[in-house]
């Protein structure tokens, strides 16, 4: 149930029975010494693909580049400015609405996207309100790492060492989904805590190896399978609730 693998006739047939779609959105940014740069896109994409296969839900192509300016001091990070990302999301949403999708569920993997995605929603709704466009459209943003089951699993496996960026849970899930594992010694084992509300050079001074409060040496590929399963359960619960709104 991936949009890019479907024909237009198959999408038209899907719309005759269901007008919801899942759009994975993430980021391309550093994730510490053993985390994949694509982690924040790989994780929601894997969950979305599993949802599509298990529950007959159409999944759009992943928005791989997000708002990650604070990571730009680390090689490999790519970032869109807030206004650019808002424009991309606006056009994505309006394209889907044009075809008859009424419920667009953004499955997010990057905390730094949240404010900008919500601003994009406000932009879409404002444009429609001013134009008197009364076509039905419902938008939702859900971050996979906010789910109750996933949070409980991370707490049981890692406790406070989960941290807030380059976390053990996202590293484990991305390794499982990508079929990649990296072993890197880290010192200190537990990274410093702090705020990411800063520019890129300040962020790198605060967090020299890119981690925030985490110890991702605790991640294991086999944990990733469990995070995928809990992530699917949590996201499916949130998606069903969204459709009922």
């Amino acid at each position: 149930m991936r949009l890019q693998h479907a024909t237009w006739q198959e999408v038209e047939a899907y719309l005759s029975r269901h007008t919801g779609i899942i759009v994975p959105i993430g980021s391309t940014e550093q994730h510490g010494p053993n985390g994949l740069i694509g982690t924040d896109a790989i994780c929601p994409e894997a969950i979305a693909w599993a949802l599509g296969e298990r529950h007959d839900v159409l999944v759009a192509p992943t928005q791989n580049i997000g708002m990650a300016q604070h990571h730009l001091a680390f090689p490999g990070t790519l970032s869109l400015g807030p206004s650019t990302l808002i424009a991309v999301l606006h056009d994505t949403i309006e394209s889907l609405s044009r075809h008859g999708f009424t419920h667009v569920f953004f499955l997010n993997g990057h905390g730094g996207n949240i404010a900008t995605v919500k601003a994009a929603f406000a932009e879409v709704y404002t444009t429609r309100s001013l134009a008197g466009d009364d076509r039905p459209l419902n938008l939702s943003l859900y971050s996979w790492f906010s789910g109750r089951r996933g949070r409980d699993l991370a707490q049981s496996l890692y406790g406070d060492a989960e941290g807030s960026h380059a976390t053990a849970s996202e590293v484990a899930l991305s390794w499982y989904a990508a079929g990649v594992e990296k072993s890197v010694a880290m010192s200190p084992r537990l990274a410093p805590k702090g705020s990411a509300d800063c520019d890129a050079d300040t962020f790198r001074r605060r967090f020299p190896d890119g981690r925030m409060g985490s110890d991702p040496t605790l991640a294991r590929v086999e944990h990733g399978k469990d995070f995928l399963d809990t992530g699917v359960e949590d996201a499916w619960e949130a998606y069903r609730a969204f459709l009922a709104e």
Side-chain angles (χ1 to χ4, degrees):
M1 293 303 296
R2 303 179 196 178
L3 182 65
Q4 62 266 45
H5 292 179
T7 65
W8 69 263
Q9 295 98 325
E10 290 170 330
V11 176
E12 189 170 70
Y14 174 86
L15 281 164
S16 70
R17 66 180 188 272
H18 189 50
T19 57
I21 189 168
I22 296 174
V23 184
I25 181 170
S27 183
T28 299
E29 64 184 49
Q30 68 82 22
H31 270 78
N34 69 348
L36 309 181
I37 287 175
T39 292
D40 282 352
I42 292 168
C43 291
E45 183 176 74
I47 292 169
W49 286 353
L51 280 168
E53 292 168 359
R54 299 178 193 183
H55 299 291
D56 189 35
V57 182
L58 194 63
V59 178
T62 303
Q63 175 59 41
N64 288 288
I65 303 177
M67 215 298 289
Q69 68 78 22
H70 49 293
H71 294 295
L72 282 171
F74 294 87
T77 295
L78 305 177
S79 181
L80 298 178
S83 60
T84 305
L85 184 55
I86 288 170
V88 169
L89 296 179
H90 177 279
D91 290 358
T92 299
I93 292 165
E94 289 295 359
S95 295
L96 293 170
S97 177
R98 169 70 175 77
H99 302 311
F101 289 97
T102 62
H103 287 73
V104 185
F105 184 83
F106 284 84
L107 181 50
N108 178 50
H110 174 48
N113 284 339
I114 294 172
T116 302
V117 174
K118 289 183 176 180
F121 290 178
E123 187 75 24
V124 170
Y125 287 139
T126 298
T127 300
R128 286 171 162 249
S129 295
L130 291 173
D133 186 345
D134 61 356
R135 290 174 298 163
L137 179 65
N138 297 278
L139 305 172
S140 179
L141 175 65
Y142 171 79
S143 298
W144 78 268
F145 47 80
S146 68
R148 174 183 56 81
R149 297 170 184 84
R151 287 187 289 105
D152 288 348
L153 178 60
Q155 179 62 37
S156 69
L157 290 172
Y158 314 125
D160 292 341
E162 165 74 348
S164 58
H165 179 68
T167 63
S169 62
E170 64 182 343
V171 168
L173 175 52
S174 66
W175 283 357
Y176 176 77
V180 175
E181 184 175 6
K182 298 181 183 290
S183 178
V184 181
M186 299 183 202
S187 181
R189 286 287 298 272
L190 195 64
K193 299 178 181 180
S195 171
D197 294 330
C198 56
D199 63 23
D201 293 326
T202 301
F203 184 95
R204 182 149 185 178
R205 285 194 298 271
R206 290 178 181 173
F207 312 103
D209 69 1
R211 298 176 295 142
M212 298 177 66
S214 66
D215 178 10
T217 65
L218 299 172
R220 300 290 183 271
V221 171
E222 56 268 26
H223 297 167
K225 173 62 165 61
D226 295 330
F227 281 110
L228 178 63
D229 290 338
T230 57
V232 169
E233 288 185 64
D234 284 333
W236 178 237
E237 183 176 83
Y239 183 68
R240 285 188 301 165
F242 169 55
L243 293 179
E245 292 178 356

